[in-house]
Amino acid sequence: MLPLHGVRVLDVTNVLAGPFCSYQLVLLGAEVIKIEQPGRGDLARQLGVTVRANERLMGDSFVSVNAGKQSVTLDLKNPQGKTIFKKLVGISDVVIENFRPGVMKRLGLDYETLSKTAPALVYCALSGFGQEGPLALRPAYDQIIQGMSGVMSVTGDAQTAPLRTGYPVCDTLGGVTAAMAVCAALVEARATGHGRMIDVSMLESTLACMGWVVSNYLNAGLVPIPMGNENFTAAPSGTFKTGGGLLNIAANENAQYHNLCDVIGRPDLKTDSRFADRDIRKKNRTLINLEIEQALVARTAPEWDALLTEAGVPAGCVLTVPEVLLNPHLTQRNFAGSYETPTGTQHVTRGGFFFPQEPPLAATPAPELSQHTAQWLKKLGYDEEAIKELKKTGVT
């Protein structure tokens, strides 16, 4: 059994940050019931590059983070919908929502209300700026948080910054942070019988993960600047042109630097007064990079990758997404997999972890909209006629 086997989660989230959180919980073994708006569901169902999939409400964006979940449609503005939701809460362990702060309270479905009848409930509210504070009620998407967090200010170089990262990093970090907090609160709830409210801010999750960039400013007053592919902590450490392709090299330690010089046939660089010391190399990073690139033209990036790795110098080719997904290392570790469904094949990736001897992927594909509504209504005691009426009146 996976670690969260037996844990039931109500996922009242949309698009990415919240669904990414609950997808991590799926991969950890939780049973996740995705609560969606009748008729249209999660907005991500309409997002993706495959137009036909969007029309079927099974967009590529939705598929990427919703495998293993069950879809139940409920109108949470409808009194009957609220009643059904509260019944589901009564047999669940976790509620995750990413509405704007105050929405669930106006619906009468906030933590304070639900915990009165479900004291062990773990309730996670994930938003752009948190539940309180001057910015709390502002709408937030990944791009907005990237700009406001300082991520864009340090991405790119002097000519291109501020620059957005190539994927929704703030949504993802918010989701990972929420999943971690939920797991910790579940341990407490199991031990004490008391759950808790979790307030996750995408802005703060992002800043917390910026590590040295933020710490250097807080502790040393150093205002971070965009350095492109360079590493402000060491040199030579960055992206280098070779005789074929780009290569990342991170010779952060003196021993690694000395090995690098030997491998590229430039042992003289070890004793050159401009580069002999680690701190001096950082000041002369442009010069040392030029010397190294002049030597690297002799071979291709994959050739240098192999030679440097063998010598203990951290290095790696700069790959495209297709190239890395086809890398034998990832295929051997079953990082990506697929499901055959009536509407076509779904391709998904697992999380950044897996448990040996356990299937690396979620047990089932991403669900069709409302696929599991009837079965859960039956478990709650509704008969066939009642289920048909709820659907007819738009409650489900």
Side-chain angles (χ1 to χ4, degrees):
M1 293 184 185
L2 290 169
L4 295 186
H5 177 80
V7 171
R8 182 172 293 137
V9 177
L10 298 184
D11 174 8
V12 199
T13 68
N14 279 274
V15 188
L16 184 51
F20 189 81
C21 165
S22 59
Y23 184 50
Q24 305 312 299
L25 303 181
V26 165
L27 296 174
L28 287 166
E31 178 182 40
V32 175
I33 304 171
K34 186 173 180 67
I35 306 299
E36 302 188 73
Q37 184 70 17
R40 63 175 183 269
D42 188 336
L43 174 62
R45 287 184 175 276
Q46 302 173 55
L47 302 178
V49 297
T50 308
V51 176
R52 289 186 178 180
N54 296 342
E55 293 171 347
R56 295 196 310 266
L57 299 182
M58 289 299 292
D60 302 321
S61 298
F62 177 80
V63 166
S64 69
V65 290
N66 285 287
K69 302 179 188 179
Q70 302 173 54
S71 174
V72 171
T73 49
L74 279 180
D75 181 0
L76 297 181
K77 295 180 181 179
N78 185 294
Q80 289 180 286
K82 294 179 184 180
T83 297
I84 295 170
F85 182 76
K86 289 179 179 179
K87 288 182 178 181
L88 287 171
V89 169
I91 57 172
S92 300
D93 303 284
V94 180
V95 169
I96 306 170
E97 55 98 347
N98 66 348
F99 291 112
R100 198 176 300 186
V103 170
M104 289 293 270
K105 185 175 182 63
R106 290 196 294 273
L107 291 173
L109 301 174
D110 57 311
Y111 174 71
E112 184 178 356
T113 301
L114 297 177
S115 62
K116 290 177 181 177
T117 54
L121 180 69
V122 172
Y123 185 108
C124 180
L126 203 170
S127 62
F129 303 98
Q131 298 299 297
E132 298 177 346
L135 301 177
L137 297 181
R138 291 184 60 155
Y141 289 94
D142 181 86
Q143 177 120 12
I144 306 304
I145 302 299
Q146 283 202 33
M148 295 183 71
S149 66
V151 165
M152 290 177 62
S153 75
V154 296
T155 303
D157 55 27
Q159 287 70 46
T160 60
L163 192 67
R164 176 185 177 276
T165 64
Y167 75 103
V169 60
C170 301
D171 272 323
T172 305
L173 289 175
V176 169
T177 301
M180 176 185 66
V182 165
C183 288
L186 278 169
V187 173
E188 178 189 41
R190 291 294 171 91
T192 67
H194 297 285
R196 68 168 62 231
M197 164 74 180
I198 303 169
D199 176 1
V200 177
S201 156
M202 286 168 56
L203 177 66
E204 291 160 30
S205 297
T206 302
L207 278 163
C209 290
M210 291 173 70
W212 296 350
V213 170
V214 172
S215 183
N216 283 342
Y217 173 70
L218 289 175
N219 293 292
L222 178 66
V223 178
I225 60 172
M227 296 182 65
N229 293 325
E230 292 292 313
N231 180 353
F232 65 87
T233 66
S237 185
T239 305
F240 297 84
K241 296 176 183 177
T242 71
L246 296 175
L247 184 71
N248 279 324
I249 300 174
N252 295 345
E253 301 174 6
N254 274 328
Q256 293 168 346
Y257 172 67
H258 290 169
N259 289 344
L260 168 63
C261 294
D262 289 336
V263 171
I264 65 174
R266 291 294 308 276
D268 58 296
L269 296 177
K270 292 188 288 186
T271 55
D272 190 310
S273 60
R274 298 170 300 171
F275 314 127
D277 178 79
R278 189 173 187 274
D279 289 328
I280 293 176
R281 285 197 297 274
K282 288 195 293 184
K283 295 178 181 178
N284 294 320
R285 65 173 63 248
T286 301
L287 291 175
I288 187 61
N289 288 352
L290 180 62
E291 297 284 355
I292 291 171
E293 284 195 333
Q294 287 176 348
L296 291 177
V297 297
R299 299 177 186 269
T300 66
E303 290 173 320
W304 285 120
D305 184 358
L307 291 169
L308 291 171
T309 299
E310 184 179 3
V313 180
C317 295
V318 177
L319 304 177
T320 64
V321 170
E323 287 171 340
V324 70
L325 288 176
L326 291 173
N327 188 291
H329 179 79
L330 289 187
T331 56
Q332 181 179 322
R333 288 174 59 83
N334 298 311
F335 177 71
S338 62
Y339 308 91
E340 296 301 327
T341 75
T343 56
T345 304
Q346 289 185 15
H347 298 278
V348 300
T349 63
R350 59 172 172 81
F353 61 88
F354 77 99
F355 302 95
Q357 287 78 54
E358 295 287 347
L361 299 177
T364 58
E368 300 286 335
L369 180 62
S370 200
Q371 181 177 335
H372 303 91
T373 302
Q375 79 178 52
W376 278 102
L377 289 175
K378 289 177 183 177
K379 290 181 181 180
L380 294 175
Y382 292 85
D383 60 24
E384 293 289 349
E385 287 302 316
I387 292 172
K388 289 179 181 178
E389 184 63 22
L390 288 168
K391 184 174 181 59
K392 180 180 177 182
T393 56
V395 176
T396 65

